[in-house]
Amino acid sequence: MREPKAAEPGRRKARGPSTEECWGGVDLGGTKIEAVVVDRAGSVLGKMRQPTPSDGEPGDVVRAIHETLEEAAQSAGLTTRQLLGVGVGAPGAVNANEGTLGHVSNVGRGWTTPYPVAGDLSARAGCPVSLGNDVQVAVMAEYRLGAGRPYRSLLGVWWGTGVGGGLVLDGVPWRGRGAAGEVGHMVVKPGGARCGCGRRGCLEAYAGRASMERRAHKAVRRGEETDLFEWMRKKGRSRLTSSIWARALAHEDALATWLIDRAVRMLGAGLASAINLLDVEAVVLGGGLGTRLGPEYASRIHEAMRPHIFVPERQPPVCVAELGELSGAIGAALLAQPPMK
């Protein structure tokens, strides 16, 4: 796992909590909770990762977030009560003003009723908590510290359990009325495969890791062969993680290869349509699958976009997120920081 560029030059001298302003950041995903502690520049001072409770209620998930955050703080020589604030990047319907999260389909048992994540976590951690969309905060981290630095406008695409998106337009994060950038729910095949959101034909229904796993289960029940679930059992996982998909591709597993190839085709069509609408300068590819499969698949997605681009001579590059799997957690921590004067 790569550290962000901001943390690489030289070695940091250890500082006591009283001389370091620190913030916590949490990336809540369908399979993992990633927590970091950063300084004002976004340099990572401590980090921790734990599995997301696979069948937990909202309160169970918040408890797991707090435990992961506390361990990240301890690795930085702190407690959560010494942090100046914590940001949480989460999927689903985020109400930043109320600090609530609802309509989450890929975390725990899922929940539809808004749950006071910020208030619950703040009471446990003993510091203020801010809530934001998981992909939007990750895209802002890449814009400020990572692959998005050369550009003023970009589309971030987080390819993992689902397919999330975030936008920066002329240097400003564009959230619309709260749901801008949801490329995963652009329809790429009317009346097509059922998506986790309940609709049909969404990009996420073909490229999201959870949807591909459901499709793999159906294929096995029909008698198709694959080693995906055998590798899952050997690794002690309850879900097909990005590393398992990468291993299956490396071993040329026929079903895994077919599903990923289909995902790449659908990503090409969907992202090209977004580019035709927005005309941004770059696409930044992140998320569990995006960072795990890396430049090779970024290039393949770029090629899959080409037939659908309206102005092919200006087709934007597809860059892999430079902050790796920490981009979401770092972006969440930046969300908690006050603006620089």
Side-chain angles (χ1 to χ4, degrees):
M1 186 182 302
R2 293 185 354 175
E3 294 290 347
K5 285 189 171 181
E8 290 174 357
R11 292 192 176 185
R12 299 176 55 84
K13 293 182 179 179
R15 298 183 185 180
S18 62
T19 62
E20 186 88 74
E21 291 185 327
C22 298
W23 291 264
V26 177
D27 180 19
L28 174 61
T31 58
K32 63 178 175 60
I33 299 168
E34 191 94 53
V36 299
V37 171
V38 306
D39 63 11
R40 166 62 79 173
S43 298
V44 175
L45 308 179
K47 61 184 179 181
M48 180 56 61
R49 173 191 291 183
Q50 291 189 7
T52 306
S54 59
D55 60 353
E57 300 289 348
D60 300 320
V61 174
V62 174
R63 187 179 304 110
I65 290 172
H66 175 243
E67 290 172 357
T68 311
L69 181 64
E70 193 68 66
E71 292 192 37
Q74 288 174 7
S75 71
L78 301 166
T79 69
T80 57
R81 294 183 180 276
Q82 292 171 295
L83 301 176
L84 298 184
V86 171
V88 177
V94 172
N95 185 325
N97 292 330
E98 298 293 330
T100 61
L101 177 65
H103 298 283
V104 187
S105 59
N106 292 325
V107 175
R109 295 177 186 171
W111 65 81
T112 55
T113 304
Y115 185 82
V117 170
D120 188 350
L121 182 59
S122 179
R124 295 174 187 271
C127 61
V129 174
S130 303
L131 193 62
N133 174 269
D134 55 346
V135 178
Q136 289 174 350
V137 299
V139 171
M140 280 308 298
E142 288 292 332
Y143 176 74
R144 286 178 53 181
L145 302 172
R149 284 174 295 179
Y151 308 106
R152 291 287 295 169
S153 297
L154 60 86
L155 168 65
V157 180
W158 256 238
W159 184 21
T161 304
V163 179
L167 287 165
V168 179
L169 301 179
D170 197 23
V172 178
W174 178 253
R175 301 184 179 91
R177 291 174 295 173
E182 287 288 356
V183 293
H185 298 290
M186 293 175 59
V187 174
V188 292
K189 187 176 181 180
R194 177 77 68 180
C195 182
C197 72
R199 289 174 282 272
R200 287 190 177 274
C202 296
L203 172 57
E204 186 171 297
Y206 297 95
R209 197 172 56 206
S211 296
M212 291 193 293
E213 181 171 336
R214 288 192 292 270
R215 179 65 177 78
H217 276 295
K218 289 181 181 178
V220 169
R221 288 196 293 270
R222 289 200 305 265
E224 294 187 43
E225 295 185 358
T226 180
D227 289 323
L228 278 166
F229 299 107
E230 179 62 24
W231 285 321
M232 181 184 78
R233 286 187 288 271
K234 285 182 177 179
K235 292 194 71 173
R237 306 296 190 197
S238 60
R239 299 178 183 179
L240 295 180
T241 61
S242 297
S243 63
I244 293 170
W245 284 100
R247 181 175 181 179
L249 294 173
H251 285 78
E252 299 181 347
D253 183 273
L255 179 60
T257 300
W258 183 83
L259 286 168
I260 292 290
D261 285 350
R262 183 179 70 159
V264 168
R265 290 195 305 272
M266 294 302 191
L267 283 163
L271 301 187
S273 296
I275 296 304
N276 292 340
L277 175 66
L278 299 168
D279 198 23
V280 295
E281 298 173 78
V283 175
V284 175
L285 180 66
L289 276 171
T291 54
R292 175 73 64 169
L293 300 183
E296 177 187 350
Y297 277 81
S299 178
R300 288 187 56 189
I301 292 168
H302 187 266
E303 288 304 309
M305 293 167 60
R306 190 178 303 280
H308 311 291
I309 293 288
F310 182 65
V311 186
E313 62 271 21
R314 284 210 313 264
Q315 181 176 348
V318 179
C319 313
V320 178
E322 290 183 0
L323 305 181
E325 294 187 359
L326 291 181
S327 57
I330 294 171
L334 298 181
L335 178 69
Q337 293 182 354
M340 296 184 71
K341 295 179 180 180

